Amino acid sequence: VWLACFHLLPRDQGVWRSRLYRFLGCNFAMLNIPVLAALGTSANDLLAAVPLLWAIGLAMGRPQLLIAVGAAAALFGVAVAFKFSNALFAPLLACLLVERIPLRPLVLRTFVALGASVTAFAIAYAPWGYQLALEAGHPFHPYLQRQLAP
C-alpha cells in the first residue's frame, strides 16, 4: 500500500507534505470494510499480510545487497508460517528478486533467499507447530494426516 501511495501520490509538495500524503493514503487504505470486518474475527489474514507486503515491497526495490534479499526472503518465510496459502506468492517474489541478475550472483542470491525463508519459517512456525504436535500428534495438523498421524 505504501509503495502504491509512493508512486501514485504527488511528490513535488515538499518532503514532509509528501510523507504526510503517503501516511494518510496508507491509513485510508486500511480503513475499508473488509479490513475492519476482519478485526473482530479470529482470521489471521491481516497478520499474515503485513510481512508478505513488506517482502514484496523490498523485492520490488530490486535489492542489490544480499542482506536486503535475505530480509525479503525472511519476511516471506514468516508470512508463510502465519498462513500457508501465502506460499502461492513464491513465484512472484522469486521473479522480483532475480530480475536481470547475472548467473553467478543469482546462485548466491538463491541460496541466501532459500536459507533465510526456511529459517524464518521455522522460527515463526515453531511455537504453533509444537502446540499442534502436542495436541494432534504432528505439527502440520490437519494437513498430511495419512503420512504423519500417530
Side-chain angles (χ1 to χ4, degrees), residues 10-104:
R11 286 180 266 175
D12 57 356
Q13 304 292 321
V15 175
W16 288 104
R17 183 173 277 189
S18 297
R19 287 180 182 170
L20 176 66
Y21 286 160
R22 290 191 294 272
F23 175 76
L24 291 174
C26 289
N27 284 320
F28 287 144
M30 290 297 156
L31 293 175
N32 61 51
I33 298 299
V35 171
L36 294 176
L39 291 177
T41 68
S42 62
N44 68 341
D45 295 342
L46 293 176
L47 177 68
V50 172
L52 179 66
L53 290 174
W54 272 104
I56 291 172
L58 281 174
M60 284 180 72
R62 293 183 183 86
Q64 299 303 318
L65 299 174
L66 279 178
I67 194 152
V69 171
L75 287 166
F76 177 72
V78 169
V80 172
F82 288 170
K83 188 168 184 178
F84 287 153
S85 63
N86 283 340
L88 296 173
F89 290 97
L92 169 68
L93 190 70
C95 289
L96 289 172
L97 287 176
V98 300
E99 184 179 10
R100 292 184 301 238
I101 302 293
L103 182 61
R104 191 170 192 170

